[in-house]
Amino acid sequence: MCGIHLLINPLEDGTKAIRKMMDATAHRGPDCSGFSDLGQNVFLAGNRLKILDLSDASNQPFWSQNKDAVLVWNGALYNYQDLRNELLDLGYFFRTNSDSEVLLYWLMEFGSTKISALKGMYALIFANKKSGEITVARDPSGEKPLYFWSSGCSWCFSSETRGILAASTKNPVIDTDQFLPYFYFRHSFPDKTLYQNIQQILPGNGLMIPWNGENPKSIQWKKPYSESQAWTYSRFEKFLKDSVLKNFHAERPVGMILSGGADSSLLYAMWHEETGIPLSTYTATFEKEFQRKYEDPKFAQKLITRYPSHHHEVNITIKNVMENWDHYIRDLDQPIGDSAGFLTWMIAKEAKTEVKVLISGAGADELFAGYNRHQAYKKLLQNPNLFRFLQKFFTRFPLPGPLKKMLLSQENSLEQTYINYSALLPIPLKHQAHFTKWYPKSEDNFKNALEWDRTFYLVNDILKIQDTACMAHGIEGRSPYLDQELIGMSLNMSEKQHLELTGKTWIKEALNSRGLSYISKRKKLGFGLPLQEWLATDKEFRAWVFEPIIKMEKIWGKNFPEEMRKFASQPEKGVQNHFLIIWNLFLLASWLKQHNQ
């Protein structure tokens, strides 16, 4: 259920174009692909990855029995049984056991008025012949992507930009305005892509489009999070256990990316406690000389002695990065300069022979303040005068890179200060307004920072690379921490409580109660490649990375922000303190070469 496409009044032959779109994203749904000509110049297609109800009766496009409504969608509904029971009470009859049929009838009965009742991850296209409207929508958590192009009354929607490009006879044009957010945050702005005129539906947003494609109406909703002041550790553990059981439920094999860190370890421990069923688990490991710093395999091995699994170590070396790089870049629909994308892609490549669902710990840091920048921002809010003093007197001295970046990030505006904390480099004043427009505006400064991380960073970096990397190998990625109740808990906790619980206190408490304090006390290390070490020690790797960056600067440099051009023209100067920026530029250079021939 993982690739969806819609054409309304296509500029080219509709049947031919929708077939091309479907073929371009066959990797997203390797079990079945199909399309429908709905008449009146409207075409719909879906690529299906079978997760629930493995019969062909649940293939897409999924039609109502009397052929007056049809659905294609991408995702999973975790409350589909509850919705199914409501529909049964209303007189609906089900011919499959799939969540697709539940979603179709729910939309037939309620239209867009009760989309907020859907608990799960989804991007959907629902065409109702009776009402003459087509509903296009994306889940509020942003777990599933949805792109579109429009011109007049012509529309094209797809799960990937390559689907839209497949329907066009014109060569794509790079949107050079997106070099600005890409340089500082490793991705485009949330509503844009690296291609001109191809946009993104924002999370929790959608469109109601008449059959003729004219005068669409925007729709927007939020999940109905319950408000309560009684947020406690016991409720957190209950919600997380419920989420684990829902997210791990599938009729195809489920596996887990196990980093040996707090978030993934707790998920697997809860699963095993509740079911006693060992799953396939996957951990990235690097060359022996780097394993004292990159200790994921050691901690993962300790965990599975307590909670057994079918464990796999995925060995990542400079050699296999270089050997697999072109394939990875071909699979990368949009450039995101986070090395975790390649790691996830390699793990999914290894896992695809055994599993069809991969669980990750994504979302825990954003909901429960797990990043180092959250600790720094908390200290700033508690003692702003101290930070101003340190900035004034100490930035001129040699300082460790993270400390110097933190001090240089201080602005008069708290929101811009935190945006700088989360960026690869502090953003120059002349560019700041482009980013502050996306920043939350509540009165709670710390909660605004968490919401920024959830809606800007998590959606456009972590969840996007998870979707792209897993889907490239025909695997569905899932994130139990993004369950509706857990998001609601985070959103409705007070500013005071979030500040008291900074550092994922409840997750660590859950680990400690299970005798896993060695994991809860582990120093946080981001999920990614050992870039600093590789660039410092391997001349061949350095040359391989630098060459395309320098070539890119000669072609595109005039369109780069000033700092971006400086790093791109002399990448060797960034090796020691700015290796993340160098990798960011290298990935963009590789992507531009591959996708903009």
Side-chain angles (χ1 to χ4, degrees):
M1 305 185 287
C2 292
I4 62 175
H5 317 283
L6 170 67
L7 285 172
I8 303 173
N9 299 318
L11 302 180
E12 311 296 334
D13 179 88
T15 299
K16 187 176 181 180
I18 200 73
R19 284 182 178 273
K20 286 183 177 180
M21 295 177 74
M22 191 171 62
D23 292 344
T25 59
H27 52 278
R28 295 186 69 91
D31 296 324
C32 180
S33 293
F35 77 96
S36 295
D37 181 345
L38 307 187
Q40 301 178 60
N41 223 14
V42 178
F43 303 83
L44 200 63
N47 309 105
R48 185 184 178 206
L49 172 64
K50 296 180 179 181
I51 302 296
L52 285 179
D53 190 336
L54 308 185
S55 71
D56 289 340
S58 294
N59 288 344
Q60 298 187 37
F62 193 98
W63 284 88
S64 62
Q65 291 182 351
N66 59 6
K67 300 292 184 181
D68 61 358
V70 62
L71 169 76
V72 292
W73 75 296
N74 171 24
L77 287 186
Y78 303 129
N79 67 331
Y80 77 99
Q81 295 284 16
D82 295 334
L83 301 182
R84 180 189 177 101
N85 290 335
E86 288 190 46
L87 291 166
L88 285 169
D89 291 341
L90 293 172
Y92 282 86
F93 170 79
F94 290 86
R95 63 189 190 274
T96 75
N97 293 315
S98 70
D99 49 356
S100 297
E101 188 171 17
V102 172
L103 179 56
L104 173 68
Y105 293 159
W106 191 262
L107 293 169
M108 287 173 61
E109 180 69 23
F110 299 110
S112 62
T113 61
K114 284 196 175 182
I115 291 181
S116 61
L118 306 177
K119 295 183 180 180
M121 55 180 184
Y122 57 85
L124 64 87
I125 300 169
F126 168 69
N128 190 326
K129 286 193 169 184
K130 281 186 176 180
S131 67
E133 283 190 318
I134 300 166
T135 303
V136 178
R138 185 181 178 199
D139 72 76
S141 298
E143 292 186 66
K144 291 298 173 186
L146 189 56
Y147 301 93
F148 74 98
W149 168 93
S150 66
S151 178
C153 60
S154 295
W155 296 82
C156 181
F157 293 86
S158 181
S159 295
E160 295 187 3
T161 59
R162 81 185 75 201
I164 294 174
L165 296 177
S168 175
T169 58
K170 297 180 180 179
N171 292 326
V173 178
I174 298 299
D175 182 357
T176 55
D177 289 343
Q178 301 312 308
F179 290 149
L180 173 66
Y182 182 88
F183 177 66
Y184 289 102
F185 285 96
R186 304 188 287 208
H187 55 76
S188 67
F189 283 118
D191 58 341
K192 303 295 184 182
T193 72
L194 262 286
Y195 295 124
Q196 285 185 13
N197 303 319
I198 299 181
Q199 302 176 65
Q200 298 189 63
I201 297 288
L202 291 172
N205 282 256
L207 294 168
M208 301 284 290
I209 308 174
W211 216 263
N212 61 12
E214 298 178 357
N215 302 315
K217 294 183 295 185
S218 296
I219 56 175
Q220 190 176 47
W221 67 97
K222 293 183 179 180
K223 292 180 178 178
Y225 302 117
S226 59
E227 294 188 15
S228 171
Q229 297 303 313
W231 297 121
T232 61
Y233 165 74
S234 61
R235 294 190 73 187
F236 163 75
E237 177 144 337
K238 177 185 180 299
F239 287 162
L240 186 57
K241 282 181 182 177
D242 290 344
S243 181
V244 165
L245 293 176
K246 288 183 290 187
N247 277 263
F248 283 61
H249 173 64
E251 294 178 23
R252 303 290 292 276
V254 177
M256 182 154 194
I257 300 174
L258 191 63
S259 70
D263 308 330
S264 61
S265 296
L266 179 57
L267 294 178
Y268 191 75
M270 283 186 166
W271 163 260
H272 203 277
E273 287 171 353
E274 294 297 310
T275 68
I277 300 172
L279 300 178
S280 294
T281 53
Y282 302 87
T283 302
T285 182
F286 305 111
E287 294 98 327
K288 187 175 181 180
E289 59 265 36
F290 304 131
Q291 289 180 9
R292 288 190 64 183
K293 177 179 178 181
Y294 298 90
E295 297 182 297
D296 286 4
K298 182 180 79 173
F299 284 92
Q301 283 290 345
K302 289 185 72 173
L303 181 75
I304 63 174
T305 59
R306 172 85 173 274
Y307 301 102
S309 76
H310 307 300
H311 194 56
H312 307 258
E313 289 191 357
V314 182
N315 192 35
I316 309 294
T317 65
I318 287 177
K319 181 180 179 182
N320 61 29
V321 171
M322 296 172 73
E323 289 174 346
N324 284 278
W325 189 249
D326 286 346
H327 189 182
Y328 171 64
I329 293 297
R330 285 196 299 272
D331 284 346
L332 196 60
D333 185 54
Q334 282 287 291
I336 301 170
D338 189 336
S339 69
F342 182 81
L343 268 190
T344 308
W345 185 87
M346 286 290 286
I347 288 172
K349 182 182 178 183
E350 171 81 11
K352 67 181 178 181
T353 60
E354 295 189 1
V355 306
K356 290 299 178 184
V357 176
L358 264 179
I359 305 292
S360 84
D365 288 305
E366 291 77 11
L367 294 184
F368 301 108
Y371 293 126
N372 292 332
R373 60 178 175 265
H374 296 144
Q375 298 284 4
Y377 195 55
K378 174 182 175 179
K379 292 175 181 176
L380 169 65
L381 294 175
Q382 292 172 334
N383 199 340
N385 292 331
L386 174 62
F387 276 65
R388 282 193 285 270
F389 172 79
L390 292 173
Q391 182 188 42
K392 183 175 181 180
F393 291 102
F394 287 92
T395 51
R396 70 191 73 174
F397 299 112
L399 294 170
L403 178 58
K404 187 165 187 176
K405 176 181 179 289
M406 182 187 71
L407 294 178
L408 291 174
S409 293
Q410 309 304 316
E411 298 281 357
N412 292 329
S413 159
L414 283 172
E415 66 176 7
Q416 187 55 49
T417 296
Y418 190 76
I419 290 172
N420 284 345
Y421 279 10
S422 62
L424 293 178
L425 285 175
I427 299 167
L429 180 64
K430 63 182 178 181
H431 297 311
Q432 289 177 4
H434 294 291
F435 299 93
T436 54
K437 66 175 286 189
W438 297 100
Y439 200 81
K441 307 299 181 187
S442 83
E443 296 179 358
D444 296 320
N445 291 314
F446 195 72
K447 290 182 68 174
N448 283 343
L450 296 182
E451 187 67 355
W452 162 264
D453 281 331
R454 186 178 74 86
T455 58
F456 194 86
Y457 171 62
L458 176 68
V459 170
N460 299 292
D461 185 321
I462 295 175
L463 294 180
K464 194 67 69 66
I465 62 176
Q466 176 173 290
D467 177 83
T468 299
C470 289
M471 286 285 90
H473 300 291
I475 292 175
E476 181 169 275
R478 294 186 181 179
S479 306
Y481 286 105
L482 296 180
D483 187 73
Q484 175 170 321
E485 279 72 19
L486 290 167
I487 294 176
M489 173 178 277
S490 176
L491 290 177
N492 285 302
M493 283 166 57
S494 68
E495 177 94 340
K496 180 175 181 290
Q497 192 165 21
H498 268 300
L499 287 168
E500 289 172 349
L501 296 173
T502 300
K504 299 184 294 192
T505 297
W506 283 342
I507 290 175
K508 292 178 180 179
E509 187 174 337
L511 290 166
N512 293 341
S513 70
R514 291 165 168 80
L516 302 175
S517 60
Y518 60 89
I519 291 176
S520 71
K521 294 177 181 177
R522 183 186 174 191
K523 184 179 179 182
K524 186 171 182 61
L525 184 67
F527 184 62
L529 300 171
L531 299 174
Q532 185 175 26
E533 292 80 8
W534 284 354
L535 287 169
T537 60
D538 194 291
K539 291 182 180 179
E540 182 184 1
F541 181 73
R542 269 201 311 275
W544 181 68
V545 169
F546 292 168
E547 183 180 0
I549 295 175
I550 294 168
K551 288 181 178 178
M552 174 181 67
E553 193 279 329
K554 292 177 180 177
I555 299 170
W556 296 97
K558 63 181 181 296
N559 304 114
F560 289 171
E562 183 178 346
E563 280 190 302
M564 184 176 184
R565 190 163 199 180
K566 179 182 71 174
F567 277 100
S569 62
Q570 296 180 300
E572 68 279 0
K573 292 189 175 181
V575 167
Q576 185 173 356
N577 295 318
H578 298 293
F579 53 92
L580 294 179
I581 290 174
I582 300 308
W583 188 259
N584 190 32
L585 293 172
F586 169 62
L587 186 139
L588 179 63
S590 302
W591 187 89
L592 286 169
K593 180 181 177 181
Q594 180 72 245
H595 294 269
N596 191 52
Q597 300 288 352

